[in-house]
Amino acid sequence: MSEDMGLIVKTMARATIPLIGIFGAYVISHGHLTPGGGFQGGATIAGAGVLFLIAFGLSEAKKRYDHHVYSALESLGGLVFLGAAMLGLSVAFFYNTLWRKGIAFAGEPGTLLSAGYLPIMNLAVGLKVFAGLVSAMMAIAVYRRWKE
Amino acid sequence: MSFIIVFMWSFVLWLVLTAGTKGMLWSAEELAAGVVFSLIVGYATRDIIGEKAGRFLNPARWVGFIVYSIGPLFWGMVKANFDVAYRVITGKIKPGIVKVPVDLENDAQYTILSNSITLTPGTLTIDACPDEKALYVHWIYVTDEHPESSEPISGSFEKWARRLGK
């Protein structure tokens, strides 16, 4: 039994996986402007990973999945979130010093580079959710005790 | 090479999504963010898109796709929808699965033809077998059980698919 899908599904997956990825990046990076944000965008990108696993099969997905890389990315996302929260620690935890002092991401509200630490936190949460969901999905996919 | 293709493919979608940030156009920061995210997506998916996807960067092929989708494909869908409405009302159906021999070479051609056949109601591609050079199509009203070509099922779609995916 082949574990990958047919030719049509695979060809469509080749074309749509980059599109899902860039759409997820759009949702994440515009989290402070439009509906969506870190979790929604990260789950969207993880959907591209699910599509890859289902369309191309487990053996192909295993070749491209490195446990250590995804583990490190997930930790990195959490640390960046915590780091952004601690930037204004001289005043208070979660104090948006980037925005109040106009250091970075301090553009006019409604533009991409505004809202202080929110874009950074959205990116961090998106990375964490993506890496976490893909890792969880791969862990479930390789768990195949019923085969032996 | 395939990195550049994915980069452009995702950057175009980014431009479509963020149009209107500066008047009707794009602000500089959106463009910069698009380049960064497209680079990341392009790097991550560079070996998924396929080695020969570069042929779809040819503008003549884009014109072909546009002409095909608003010309033969749209007209075929209109005709087939009315045909299915007729079959729903009268109940005259004779369903079956037929093997359709096709003369195509690569994955993209098979995908274009299969999706066109599925989009026109009354026919549904079940499987594409490049080894047998055949498609298996579920047909709502089988008029020809062993077709010699894809002509009775899809009309001129095979010719278009061969040209667009070459």
Side-chain angles (χ1 to χ4, degrees):
Chain A
M1 195 187 87
S2 75
E3 59 181 11
D4 57 343
M5 302 287 258
L7 173 146
I8 303 165
V9 176
K10 275 198 274 188
T11 316
M12 290 310 286
R14 284 181 202 283
T16 46
I17 284 174
L19 295 190
I20 299 173
I22 199 75
F23 180 69
Y26 167 78
V27 171
I28 292 174
S29 60
H30 289 69
H32 53 300
L33 305 174
T34 57
F39 181 81
Q40 289 86 345
T44 308
I45 304 180
V50 176
L51 175 61
F52 183 85
L53 172 69
I54 292 175
F56 292 89
L58 182 61
S59 55
E60 194 73 16
K62 263 191 203 158
K63 263 186 250 163
R64 289 151 205 254
Y65 173 80
D66 186 347
H67 172 71
H68 300 290
V69 171
Y70 278 83
S71 180
L73 282 178
E74 194 185 351
S75 311
L76 180 73
L79 287 176
V80 169
F81 186 92
L82 200 59
M86 295 214 280
L87 278 176
L89 203 58
S90 58
V91 180
F93 196 45
F94 278 102
Y95 180 73
N96 198 344
T97 182
L98 292 181
W99 168 254
R100 304 271 173 112
K101 297 263 167 59
I103 299 166
F105 293 98
E108 185 154 327
T111 58
L112 187 63
L113 298 179
S114 64
Y117 61 24
L118 278 187
I120 304 171
M121 285 185 166
N122 272 327
L123 285 172
V125 172
L127 185 67
K128 186 168 171 59
V129 168
F130 161 69
L133 284 181
V134 169
S135 304
M137 175 199 72
M138 281 301 292
I140 295 167
V142 294
Y143 182 79
R144 287 204 164 180
R145 227 166 54 184
W146 62 84
K147 252 196 163 176
E148 275 84 43
Chain B
M1 183 63 202
S2 48
F3 171 70
I4 300 166
I5 300 154
V6 194
F7 173 76
M8 292 180 70
W9 181 226
S10 39
F11 191 59
V12 166
L13 182 73
W14 180 274
L15 290 184
V16 172
L17 286 171
T18 60
T21 46
K22 185 186 178 190
M24 292 294 286
L25 293 171
W26 299 272
S27 62
E29 54 203 40
E30 295 277 0
L31 289 178
V35 169
V36 171
F37 286 119
S38 301
L39 283 174
I40 296 170
V41 171
Y43 181 75
T45 61
R46 66 195 181 287
D47 50 355
I48 293 175
I49 190 99
E51 302 80 35
K52 289 185 293 180
R55 63 190 195 275
F56 290 107
L57 291 181
N58 182 358
R61 211 179 285 268
W62 304 343
V63 176
F65 269 107
I66 294 167
V67 169
Y68 173 62
S69 53
I70 63 179
L73 183 62
F74 186 73
W75 179 237
M77 281 164 68
V78 171
K79 271 194 306 188
N81 272 302
F82 278 109
D83 182 63
V84 170
Y86 165 78
R87 301 208 180 283
V88 169
I89 293 165
T90 58
K92 281 185 195 157
I93 57 167
K94 197 165 82 179
I97 296 172
V98 295
K99 179 181 175 183
V100 184
V102 289
D103 178 28
L104 302 173
E105 291 135 25
N106 58 43
D107 294 6
Q109 292 173 334
Y110 275 101
T111 307
I112 294 169
L113 180 60
S114 306
N115 283 339
S116 304
I117 287 176
T118 304
L119 267 179
T120 53
T123 47
L124 178 72
T125 309
I126 293 170
D127 200 6
C129 299
D131 330 331
E132 305 172 39
K133 288 212 163 251
L135 300 179
Y136 288 89
V137 176
H138 182 271
W139 205 355
I140 198 170
Y141 194 83
V142 180
T143 52
D144 185 355
E145 285 181 20
H146 300 284
E148 297 292 309
S149 71
S150 67
E151 187 67 30
I153 289 175
S154 61
S156 64
F157 288 170
E158 188 185 339
K159 205 179 69 202
W160 277 97
R162 205 178 302 140
R163 193 185 305 161
L164 292 174
K166 193 153 57 188

